[in-house]
Amino acid sequence: LTKADNLGLGLIVLGLLLSRMMGTMSPFGLAGNWFAALFLGLIMACVAFAVAVFVFNFLAGVFGGKPDFSRAFAAMSLVGIPAWIAGIVGAAVPWVGGLISLAGAIVSLVFLYKIMPLALGVPDSKRVLHFVVSLVAVLVVGVVVMVI
């Protein structure tokens, strides 16, 4: 075998291994590949987290607070813990797992309403407006980012 044959054979084997690891894309999502779904899900979760931190931090300044990225990041990290734990427990418990996940999401939203204004110094008079506008902005920016 020549060097070109060895290279071609190596590329074929590499292509076979990568296609088994990454799977294929279809119009209905990932075609049954757990590795690609795990990898892309992790990337999308990190992007969504970063978008939420940036939006809440930016809008804190608009509503009279003190934008501070490190405090917003820390507050968002604390806020997400109940939802993440409830998601894990909800996935492990049959029948009522969805309700457990929903309860964790509601607790996280309550924590977000309570903690974020304290972390960013948003005045009490603008707390509700900051919360609602920030949630809507996070949803809109998140949809735009995920479409790209």
Side-chain angles (χ1 to χ4, degrees), residues 42-102:
L42 181 62
I43 289 175
M44 287 191 279
C46 290
V47 168
F49 184 82
V51 164
V53 171
F54 280 118
V55 167
F56 271 90
N57 185 44
F58 174 75
L59 289 177
V62 172
F63 288 102
K66 294 172 278 198
D68 184 356
F69 183 80
S70 61
R71 290 178 65 102
F73 189 88
M76 193 65 72
S77 298
L78 290 174
V79 163
I81 291 172
W84 293 331
I85 291 173
I88 293 168
V89 172
V93 177
W95 302 101
V96 294
L99 293 175
I100 293 171
S101 297
L102 179 64

Side-chain angles (χ1 to χ4, degrees), residues 56-67 112-132 134:
F56 271 90
N57 185 44
F58 174 75
L59 289 177
V62 172
F63 288 102
K66 294 172 278 198
L112 183 64
Y113 177 75
K114 297 282 188 182
I115 294 174
M116 195 59 75
L118 295 175
L120 298 175
V122 177
D124 288 338
S125 62
K126 296 184 180 180
R127 174 181 272 190
V128 175
L129 189 60
H130 174 256
F131 179 71
V132 172
S134 295

Side-chain angles (χ1 to χ4, degrees), residues 5-72:
D5 291 337
N6 286 336
L7 180 63
L9 184 61
L11 290 176
I12 289 171
V13 170
L14 180 65
L16 179 65
L17 289 174
L18 288 177
S19 70
R20 294 297 167 239
M21 284 175 54
M22 297 303 286
T24 58
M25 296 295 283
S26 72
F28 307 108
L30 297 171
N33 191 296
W34 64 271
F35 182 75
L38 177 70
F39 184 71
L40 291 175
L42 181 62
I43 289 175
M44 287 191 279
C46 290
V47 168
F49 184 82
V51 164
V53 171
F54 280 118
V55 167
F56 271 90
N57 185 44
F58 174 75
L59 289 177
V62 172
F63 288 102
K66 294 172 278 198
D68 184 356
F69 183 80
S70 61
R71 290 178 65 102

